[in-house]
């Protein structure tokens, strides 16, 4: 079946990234008259009113100190996320009448998953607690599944007995603080100014406006312009060991020059990407390997080095890689040093990397998030690339080890493939383009996994391919930004990935 769609030609549709959570700007009629100058939440209140998330009461009052009801908090969430209520609203909860001023917001928040149906009632007039606000916020972001997985993640709050995963997430993402170092006060209520601060923290993380993107290129096939890329890592060499470390070319001279010409035209900095495995790491050989790498960078007149040595599992390997990176750092001078590492995995180990030491030596640490073994949902194999829960786990474990400003998240152009319920050879981005052109291909988007998948049936089998389209990449960009990670690395940069450069947030 793979031969069948390899011969097809097309471009991947729908991979245009849009702005994240774009707010509707409204002009404030007047500054809130009840917010004292220098008030701790003054700036956040002003911005929330200007953005239209909160309306002034009586035309001039914000309502400082006023506790929010569950209905009021849901209305504000809907404004923030840009959810448009249906008119007329449909009743979802038995205690929310269809003519209530908040009915439309409650309905759309339910449809979007921010609130759930518990015992048939919403309790709209009850004051919202800090625990409930945390849960609604995490669910509104689409991370309810992740919250269920992180219930046992450590946090400093000794008074949290329920909703632990949600509270762990809002605290870990920097959206909500405790009322003291060890107390979250989950049953305390939320005031309007507290809600304004929380929303502006989220807004600033998502709309940071900074960041950069780099690409990993292993082929000149189907490679359009590189406009918008800060740098490109060209996979032109690999490490081998034949009595001594050596560099073996992995691209033909003509293809390499084609890639480099394109990079020069775009203005992207060119880094030599060298890959290898644990076999090439020999105890005490860090200096010799560093010399080989430095010579390759110098002879090729590259702007730096991207080093990727995967499959490390032991402490000696970890120490040797760190020694190599530190030696290369010293020899490169002002040139760039990127290191690609396997990210910490939820059910695995941290792959033998000394992340903190690598983060000290390198200009950038690029995390390659693994896809766990596929499972089955309703008879469909599920194996999305860079699953959101794995991205969350990796970034949360990197906190305190590597500065977020040095971290980069790698996203894949390739897709995982299944023939019926058997794992098949992964597809490249170009192959996915061809698959999607087939009129018999059915394409879906899974909100649960924040990933696209397509299926193509033949008389003998069904091919299922999971891959990252525009919305899927956008979700991973957003999650990374919540951790302060602004850099994105697109792997196997060809065709569809390069075409998204200008649209990347």
């Amino acid at each position: 079946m793979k031969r069948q769609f390899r011969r097809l030609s097309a471009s991947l549709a729908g991979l245009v990234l849009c702005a994240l959570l774009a707010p509707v700007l409204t002009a404030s009629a007047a500054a809130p008259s009840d917010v004292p100058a220098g008030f701790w939440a003054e700036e956040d209140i002003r911005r929330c009113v200007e953005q239209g998330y909160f309306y002034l009461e009586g035309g001039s009052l914000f309502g400082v100190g006023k506790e929010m009801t569950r209905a009021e908090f849901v209305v504000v969430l809907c404004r923030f996320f840009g959810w448009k209520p249906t008119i007329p609203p449909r009743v979802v909860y038995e205690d929310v009448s269809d003519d209530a001023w908040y009915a439309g917001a409650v309905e759309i928040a339910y449809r979007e998953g921010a609130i759930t149906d518990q015992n048939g009632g919403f309790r709209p007039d009850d004051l919202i607690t800090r625990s409930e606000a945390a849960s609604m916020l995490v669910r509104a972001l689409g991370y309810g599944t992740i919250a269920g997985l992180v219930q046992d993640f450590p946090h400093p709050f000794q008074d949290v007995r329920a909703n632990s995963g949600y509270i762990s997430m809002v605290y870990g993402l920097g959206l909500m603080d405790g009322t003291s170092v060890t107390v979250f006060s989950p049953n305390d209520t939320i005031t309007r100014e507290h809600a304004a601060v929380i929303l502006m923290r989220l807004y600033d993380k998502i709309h940071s406006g900074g960041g950069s993107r780099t690409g990993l290129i292993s082929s000149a096939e189907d490679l359009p312009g590189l406009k918008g890329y800060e740098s490109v890592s060209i996979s032109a060499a690999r490490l081998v060991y034949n009595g001594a470390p050596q560099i073996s070319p992995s691209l033909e001279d003509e293809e390499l020059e084609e890639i480099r010409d394109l990079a020069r035209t775009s203005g992207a900095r060119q880094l030599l990407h060298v890959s290898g495995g644990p076999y090439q790491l020999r105890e005490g050989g860090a200096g010799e390997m560093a010399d080989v790498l430095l010579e390759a960078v110098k002879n090729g007149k590259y702007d730096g080095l991207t080093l990727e040595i995967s499959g490390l599992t032991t402490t000696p390997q970890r120490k040797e890689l760190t020694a190599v990176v530190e030696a290369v750092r010293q020899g490169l001078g002002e040139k760039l040093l990127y290191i690609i590492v396997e990210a910490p995995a939820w059910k695995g180990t941290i792959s033998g990397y000394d992340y903190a030491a690598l983060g000290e030596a390198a200009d950038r640490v690029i995390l390659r998030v693994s896809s766990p073994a596929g499972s089955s949902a309703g008879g469909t194999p599920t194996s999305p690339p860079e699953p959101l829960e794995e991205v969350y786990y990796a970034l949360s474990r990197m906190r305190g080890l590597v500065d977020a400003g040095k971290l980069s998240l790698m996203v894949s152009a390739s897709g995982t493939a299944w023939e019926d319920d058997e794992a098949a050879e992964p597809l490249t981005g170009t192959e996915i383009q061809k698959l999607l052109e087939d009129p018999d291909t059915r394409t879906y988007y899974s909100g649960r996994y924040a990933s696209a998948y397509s299926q193509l049936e033949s008389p003998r089998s069904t091919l299922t391919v999971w891959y990252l389209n525009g919305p899927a990449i956008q979700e991973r960009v957003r999650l990374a930004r919540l951790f302060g990670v602004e850099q994105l690395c697109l792997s196997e940069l060809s065709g569809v990935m390069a075409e998204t450069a200008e649209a990347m947030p």
Side-chain angles (χ1 to χ4, degrees):
M1 182 175 289
K2 290 188 68 177
R3 292 195 186 98
Q4 177 183 0
F5 63 79
R6 280 178 186 271
R7 293 192 296 269
L8 300 173
S9 60
S11 61
L12 179 59
L15 194 55
V16 178
L17 301 183
C18 59
L20 296 171
L21 301 178
V24 177
L25 299 180
T26 60
S28 175
S33 60
D34 61 339
V35 180
F39 184 59
W40 68 276
E42 177 184 11
E43 180 64 11
D44 291 324
I45 290 172
R46 179 191 64 78
R47 294 171 63 201
C48 270
V49 172
E50 289 180 352
Q51 298 279 25
Y53 304 146
F54 283 84
Y55 296 158
L56 296 182
E57 300 177 345
S60 64
L61 299 177
F62 177 76
V64 171
K66 182 180 178 181
E67 297 169 311
M68 297 189 74
T69 65
R70 287 168 54 85
E72 289 169 337
F73 191 77
V74 163
V75 168
V76 170
L77 275 187
C78 288
R79 293 172 185 163
F80 180 85
F81 284 98
W83 298 335
K84 303 300 182 183
T86 56
I87 299 175
R90 290 165 290 182
V91 174
V92 177
Y93 298 96
E94 60 185 20
D95 57 353
V96 177
S97 63
D98 57 7
D99 60 351
W101 65 273
Y102 48 79
V106 171
E107 180 203 344
I108 193 62
Y110 175 81
R111 305 295 178 199
E112 294 288 343
I115 52 180
T116 58
D117 187 5
Q118 296 179 345
N119 302 321
F122 176 64
R123 300 180 288 112
D125 297 324
D126 285 5
L127 297 178
I128 189 165
T129 67
R130 286 168 53 82
S131 176
E132 291 171 337
S135 297
M136 286 189 193
L137 189 60
V138 170
R139 287 184 175 276
L141 285 166
Y143 301 152
T145 299
I146 299 177
L149 295 172
V150 302
Q151 295 181 73
D152 296 328
F153 269 34
H155 57 68
F157 306 122
Q158 299 175 1
D159 60 340
V160 172
R161 300 292 181 269
N163 290 340
S164 179
Y166 296 99
I167 291 171
S168 177
M169 287 191 72
V170 294
Y171 173 72
L173 294 174
L175 301 179
M176 294 180 69
D177 301 318
T179 54
S180 74
V181 175
T182 59
V183 176
F184 186 78
S185 302
N187 296 322
D188 283 5
T189 55
I190 291 284
T191 63
R192 286 169 64 86
E193 60 266 30
H194 283 130
V197 170
I198 292 168
L199 291 183
M200 285 299 97
R201 287 178 178 176
L202 177 57
Y203 182 93
D204 288 341
K205 286 176 178 291
I206 293 176
H207 297 84
S208 60
S212 61
R213 52 189 171 271
T214 185
L216 182 60
I217 303 176
S218 56
S219 170
E221 180 185 3
D222 193 29
L223 187 63
L226 296 172
K227 181 179 178 181
Y229 282 82
E230 174 192 71
S231 62
V232 291
S233 298
I234 304 171
S235 300
R238 59 182 180 272
L239 279 167
V240 297
Y241 191 88
N242 187 16
Q246 298 176 357
I247 293 288
S248 175
S250 53
L251 287 174
E252 296 292 337
D253 291 345
E254 183 177 345
E255 185 174 27
L256 174 59
E257 193 56 33
E258 182 181 348
I259 296 172
R260 300 199 67 173
D261 282 344
L262 192 59
R264 293 187 194 101
T265 301
S266 70
R269 288 178 288 184
Q270 302 173 50
L271 283 72
L272 173 62
H273 172 231
V274 180
S275 60
Y279 178 76
Q280 284 81 42
L281 288 175
R282 302 303 174 101
E283 188 173 356
E288 190 175 15
M289 180 178 288
D291 289 342
V292 170
L293 294 169
L294 291 168
E295 182 179 6
V297 171
K298 178 181 178 181
N299 292 342
K301 297 182 179 178
Y302 287 95
D303 298 312
L305 173 71
T306 299
L307 182 61
E308 179 176 13
I309 299 183
S310 56
L312 306 186
T313 58
T314 69
T315 298
Q317 292 170 350
R318 177 186 65 191
K319 291 182 177 179
E320 196 61 31
L321 175 62
T322 301
V324 170
V325 171
E326 290 172 344
V328 170
R329 170 73 280 165
Q330 185 175 2
L332 279 178
E334 297 300 317
K335 292 189 174 184
L336 296 173
L337 174 58
Y338 293 176
I339 177 77
I340 299 176
V341 297
E342 298 158 26
W346 202 296
K347 295 182 179 180
T349 65
I350 58 172
S351 304
Y353 292 107
D354 187 341
Y355 293 107
L358 296 177
E360 285 291 324
D363 296 292
R364 187 164 301 170
V365 177
I366 301 173
L367 294 177
R368 185 188 291 277
V369 177
S370 63
S371 296
S375 57
S376 179
T380 298
T382 57
S383 55
E386 287 93 50
L388 277 186
E389 53 262 39
E390 290 292 341
V391 173
Y392 180 88
Y393 180 85
L395 294 177
S396 66
R397 289 305 188 216
M398 297 302 290
R399 188 189 292 112
L401 295 178
V402 179
D403 185 273
K406 283 191 171 187
L407 282 175
S408 178
L409 176 66
M410 181 176 287
V411 294
S412 302
S414 61
T416 57
W418 295 76
E419 295 272 2
D420 292 330
D421 58 355
E422 296 291 330
E425 181 182 350
L427 271 64
T428 67
T430 301
E431 290 170 343
I432 294 172
Q433 294 178 37
K434 296 175 181 178
L435 170 67
L436 294 183
E437 182 64 12
D438 191 315
D440 294 326
T441 296
R442 294 169 297 161
T443 298
Y444 310 90
Y445 185 84
S446 168
R448 158 65 180 89
Y449 297 102
S451 182
Y453 68 98
S454 294
Q455 291 184 316
L456 180 62
E457 294 185 3
S458 73
R460 291 187 297 179
S461 64
T462 298
L463 175 71
T464 303
V465 180
W466 287 81
Y467 57 93
L468 303 184
N469 63 357
I473 296 176
Q474 183 177 312
E475 285 293 337
R476 285 147 183 82
V477 170
R478 183 179 70 167
L479 181 54
R481 283 186 169 176
L482 290 176
F483 281 96
V485 176
E486 299 283 353
Q487 287 81 29
L488 192 70
C489 178
L490 294 98
S491 72
E492 302 165 33
L493 187 57
S494 64
V496 61
M497 281 298 194
E499 291 171 3
T500 66
E502 293 186 54
M504 291 294 292

